[in-house]
Amino acid sequence: MKNRKIKTAGIVLAAILAASSASGTSVWASEMTDDQDYEFLTASSASEVVVTTEQELIDAVDASSEDPESRTKIILTRDIAVSQKLVIPENRYIELCGDQSGRRLSTKRKYSDSTLNPAGVILVLGDLSVHDLEISGSNLMRTVAVYDGVLTLDDGAVISGGKITEHMNGSGIYISDNTQTKKKAALTINESASVCNNTFQPTQQAASVSMEGIGVYADQAVVVMNGGTISGNQDNTSPQRRERTATGGAVAINGSLASFVMNGGSIEDNTVKGNGGAFYTSNGASVVINDGTIRNNMCYGVGGAFYLTSSLTDNYNLQINGGIISENIADATNSAPDTDHSL
């Protein structure tokens, strides 16, 4: 329990008590008279809010906890399609879930914050954990964007249906860390969570088709995979195109502060027309494989499983301590020479 003292006049005390009750705070007071100190005892357990509409979901997020020890649990009891991005504000701690298997949060339309990097259906600036809920980009846009925030995918969390076009990164999840802040952007994928069936679909008129990370793109951020799957993420670039610069079918990580640690789970059946069927790294990003399975990923460039690049100041960094890596295919016909390192 946490104690919080306030000094208030009787005229506003009723409003304070009502607000505390509505937010799930337990309140005890005795001899409540004007101009007196009162002690509010706040329970550390998370409050729960049930939502059935987009507006109720927005309101619940706006009223969510700012205490990391008292996460607000928001439960969807109906499928909800949002018409604007759902923003998890900075310093908010939310657990988002469905009331049953198969519950879905999706978007009605495509929307963006900028030309190059549109926000996702959910934009995470704070701390969000998800379980027993599918979040879908509805094959219209990126599914989740994380900027200096923390995203944890637990049992039953599914990130799917994301779609990006040329010169964008991370169809399923885009996570970026601003190195000038004290926070560290982080993504954790736990048992039975899934990042799947996201796509890269360049427009027909585009002259080039650069893209990194169809499933997950991490820029100077930390990704830990303890279980679950990253699978079925696909590059839908036309085979007639000569430019094959889309890279990282499952994961792309960029920057010397970026890392991907795999402790379990599987990365399977991802396809990209450029390099790195499973992984693409750049500018000194590191990959550590402790356990898990990396299998049946394919690229039409170089590196069926891994394609590692370096810069003038940062070396490539791959450490394999365990796990299974098999049946990954690279068809490098007519591709650029392998000037970096692939596997």
Side-chain angles (χ1 to χ4, degrees), residues 47 49 167 290 322:
S47 60
V49 182
H167 310 304
N290 294 318

Side-chain angles (χ1 to χ4, degrees), residues 1-8 13 16-17 20 25-33 35-43:
M1 306 285 282
K2 290 188 175 182
N3 297 351
R4 177 165 57 93
K5 287 189 176 183
I6 66 167
K7 185 175 181 66
T8 181
L13 183 58
I16 293 173
L17 290 174
S20 298
T25 300
S26 299
V27 179
W28 291 266
S30 61
E31 298 181 0
M32 295 183 178
T33 59
D35 300 317
Q36 187 175 340
D37 287 338
Y38 300 107
E39 186 171 42
F40 285 59
L41 304 182
T42 305

Side-chain angles (χ1 to χ4, degrees), residues 56-322:
E56 289 177 353
L57 177 58
I58 293 171
D59 292 344
V61 169
D62 288 345
S64 60
S65 173
E66 297 181 20
D67 181 356
E69 297 181 7
S70 181
R71 190 178 293 268
T72 298
K73 183 176 184 179
I74 301 176
I75 307 170
L76 277 67
T77 57
R78 292 184 181 177
D79 294 349
I80 296 177
V82 295
S83 57
Q84 58 183 308
K85 68 177 178 289
L86 180 67
V87 179
I88 308 301
E90 187 177 0
N91 298 321
R92 297 299 179 94
Y93 300 86
I94 295 174
E95 174 186 348
L96 185 64
C97 64
D99 64 330
Q100 62 184 32
S101 176
R103 188 64 69 203
R104 192 168 187 260
L105 174 65
S106 61
T107 182
K108 296 178 181 178
R109 63 183 182 87
K110 180 179 179 179
Y111 40 86
S112 64
D113 282 346
S114 68
T115 302
L116 297 182
N117 281 308
V121 177
I122 297 181
L123 173 61
V124 182
L125 306 176
D127 189 314
L128 175 67
S129 65
V130 181
H131 65 88
D132 298 307
L133 181 69
E134 177 185 1
I135 304 173
S136 173
S138 303
N139 294 313
L140 294 173
M141 62 176 297
R142 177 186 293 121
T143 305
V144 180
V146 184
Y147 293 97
D148 288 345
V150 176
L151 174 64
T152 303
L153 303 180
D154 288 318
D155 289 359
V158 178
I159 306 298
S160 69
K163 185 175 82 170
I164 55 174
T165 58
E166 57 278 347
H167 310 304
M168 298 179 184
N169 299 322
S171 180
I173 299 172
Y174 177 103
I175 178 167
S176 178
D177 181 80
N178 180 350
T179 56
Q180 295 180 352
T181 69
K182 294 181 180 180
K183 296 175 63 178
K184 186 65 181 175
L187 166 65
T188 303
I189 303 171
N190 290 323
E191 201 67 34
S192 299
S194 178
V195 181
C196 63
N197 302 326
N198 301 285
T199 59
F200 170 56
Q201 182 69 64
T203 59
Q204 292 298 317
Q205 67 270 24
S208 62
V209 291
S210 62
M211 182 284 311
E212 296 181 13
I214 300 175
V216 176
Y217 176 79
D219 179 39
Q220 301 288 19
V222 173
V223 181
V224 177
M225 186 174 185
N226 296 317
T229 62
I230 302 176
S231 64
N233 300 289
Q234 300 291 324
D235 180 351
N236 290 334
T237 304
S238 168
Q240 283 74 40
R241 286 184 179 272
R242 299 190 63 180
E243 306 90 347
R244 292 178 176 177
T245 53
T247 54
V251 178
I253 52 177
N254 174 67
S256 60
L257 299 179
S259 64
F260 188 105
V261 178
M262 187 175 185
N263 298 317
S266 65
I267 298 176
E268 302 182 85
D269 302 315
N270 302 283
T271 302
V272 70
K273 299 294 172 62
N275 300 323
F279 285 92
Y280 175 85
T281 75
S282 55
N283 297 314
S286 67
V287 176
V288 178
I289 309 298
N290 294 318
D291 203 352
T293 300
I294 302 171
R295 179 169 53 202
N296 201 33
N297 301 285
M298 183 176 181
C299 72
Y300 289 81
V302 176
F306 301 92
Y307 188 89
L308 315 174
T309 70
S310 60
S311 66
L312 293 176
T313 57
D314 296 300
N315 295 324
Y316 49 85
N317 189 348
L318 172 63
Q319 182 177 343
I320 300 175
N321 302 318

